[in-house]
């Protein structure tokens, strides 16, 4: 009876299918090799801004991080670097970031507030989610339109305003464009001209396939259509 009662009375607006988010996309164009995963740049320029966003959640202390990066071996093969559990603290930042001119191949960063294990236990997606993808490994450098692709999602039911921090983050990342759309964690609606499509959950948002079914690097960035009836243009 207790399980049935909890199922009937739980707030379905906060479950995996229906919880809604301010869904930000940032297209970073780095200068002077200032990439988000660079240890000094992260520590000096980005960490404090992101910390202000995370601090708006009551789950701040339960933030979890995971990364994907590889280390080149003597036989020219790459081995995944393992760090174990990473938290939002100085020790973890020193582990996951890359020292300048390091041989480490950084690929992806993912942050959950609260950590994914707590989300699974509560059967609810996070208050805040951030992912950072390295776009520098595409084969044809001449067609690369941005260096980093950042997804930042903040649950609308938190009733917080973090637009100032998003703008500051955009400036630090030299974002070619920062846009926002309100969507569910599970799936996003297409825009009226069917340029943008988000069929996957927020944690599975990548630069490939979300715009006209192709990689965003297949287009000249100035030709990408950000319909203002669908996107709110945050920066510039």
């Amino acid at each position: 009876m207790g399980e049935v009662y909890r199922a009937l009375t739980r707030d379905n607006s906060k479950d995996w299918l229906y919880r809604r988010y301010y869904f930000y996309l940032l297209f970073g164009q780095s200068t002077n090799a200032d990439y988000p995963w660079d240890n000094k740049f992260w520590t000096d320029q980005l960490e404090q801004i992101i910390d202000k966003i995370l601090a708006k959640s009551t789950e701040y202390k339960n933030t979890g991080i995971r990364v994907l990066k590889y280390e080149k071996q003597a036989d020219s093969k790459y081995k995944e670097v393992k760090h174990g559990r990473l938290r939002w603290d100085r020790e973890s930042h020193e582990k996951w970031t890359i020292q300048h001119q390091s041989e480490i191949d950084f690929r992806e960063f993912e942050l959950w507030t609260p950590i994914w294990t707590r989300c699974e236990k509560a059967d609810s997606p996070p208050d805040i989610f951030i992912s950072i993808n390295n776009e520098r490994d595409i084969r044809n450098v001449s067609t690369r339109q941005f260096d980093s692709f950042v997804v930042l999602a903040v649950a609308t039911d938190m009733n917080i305003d973090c637009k100032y921090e998003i703008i500051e983050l955009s400036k630090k990342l030299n974002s070619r464009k920062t846009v926002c759309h309100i969507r569910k964690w599970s799936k996003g609606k297409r825009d009226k001209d069917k340029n943008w499509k988000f069929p996957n959950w927020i944690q599975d948002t990548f630069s490939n396939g979300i715009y006209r079914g192709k990689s965003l690097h297949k287009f000249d960035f100035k030709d990408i259509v950000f319909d203002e009836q669908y996107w709110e243009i945050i920066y510039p």
Side-chain angles (χ1 to χ4, degrees):
M1 181 67 179
E3 292 295 329
V4 173
Y5 176 78
R6 282 192 290 273
L8 290 174
T9 57
R10 76 184 301 268
D11 184 359
N12 288 327
S13 67
K14 291 188 178 183
D15 72 16
W16 295 94
L17 290 177
Y18 299 109
R19 197 172 191 189
R20 294 166 64 82
Y21 290 81
Y22 294 107
F23 176 67
Y24 297 91
L25 300 184
L26 290 78
F27 302 89
Q29 186 62 43
S30 301
T31 58
N32 301 319
D34 287 337
Y35 307 117
W37 47 88
D38 178 82
N39 175 270
K40 181 172 175 55
F41 186 62
W42 172 268
T43 302
D44 294 348
Q45 304 294 332
L46 305 183
E47 182 186 335
Q48 291 183 351
I49 299 173
I50 295 175
D51 186 74
K52 290 178 182 178
I53 298 174
L54 302 182
K56 298 176 187 291
S57 169
T58 57
E59 295 282 358
Y60 170 75
K61 293 183 178 180
N62 296 316
T63 296
I65 295 170
R66 50 190 174 195
V67 299
L68 179 62
K69 60 184 185 181
Y70 296 93
E71 183 175 15
K72 193 173 183 178
Q73 305 296 294
D75 57 3
S76 296
K77 294 183 179 179
Y78 283 86
K79 180 181 179 181
E80 184 177 347
V81 179
K82 301 285 188 179
H83 290 304
R85 177 161 291 191
L86 297 170
R87 296 286 188 177
W88 184 258
D89 56 34
R90 173 57 51 199
E91 181 180 358
S92 294
H93 294 318
E94 289 296 324
K95 286 182 179 179
W96 78 260
T97 53
I98 307 298
Q99 298 297 327
H100 188 57
Q101 296 183 334
S102 169
E103 293 279 332
I104 299 292
D105 178 17
F106 174 88
R107 296 295 180 86
E108 302 170 11
F109 164 98
E110 195 173 279
L111 176 151
W112 294 58
T113 302
I115 193 170
W116 48 91
T117 51
R118 291 178 69 91
C119 290
E120 291 169 1
K121 186 175 182 180
D123 197 21
S124 179
D127 289 350
I128 300 169
F129 172 85
I130 302 173
S131 66
I132 302 172
N133 279 271
N134 182 0
E135 302 290 313
R136 294 182 54 80
D137 60 352
I138 67 170
R139 292 184 179 180
N140 191 343
V141 176
S142 65
T143 65
R144 188 173 63 233
Q145 301 298 306
F146 44 91
D147 292 321
S148 59
F149 179 63
V150 180
V151 175
L152 199 154
V154 180
T156 60
D157 55 73
M158 292 175 63
N159 296 314
I160 63 173
D161 182 4
C162 59
K163 188 177 293 185
Y164 173 80
E165 287 82 7
I166 300 295
I167 291 172
E168 289 302 300
L169 190 62
S170 300
K171 290 177 180 178
K172 297 295 185 183
L173 292 175
N174 191 33
S175 179
R176 299 195 67 176
K177 186 79 73 175
T178 298
V179 294
C180 180
H181 173 61
I182 295 179
R183 58 164 287 185
K184 296 176 182 177
W185 177 269
S186 57
K187 190 175 181 179
K189 293 181 179 179
R190 300 188 69 161
D191 64 330
K192 65 180 180 64
D193 293 321
K194 299 183 179 180
N195 289 316
W196 296 90
K197 182 180 180 181
F198 298 98
N200 299 319
W201 289 16
I202 283 176
Q203 78 266 29
D204 297 318
T205 306
F206 303 101
S207 63
N208 187 52
I210 61 175
Y211 184 76
R212 298 182 182 176
K214 300 179 181 180
S215 167
L216 282 161
H217 298 284
K218 295 288 186 182
F219 304 89
D220 190 318
F221 196 83
K222 68 177 184 296
D223 295 331
I224 297 174
V225 178
F226 294 95
D227 183 352
E228 294 191 22
Q229 292 184 349
Y230 183 81
W231 294 109
E232 179 184 358
I233 309 300
I234 306 297
Y235 181 87

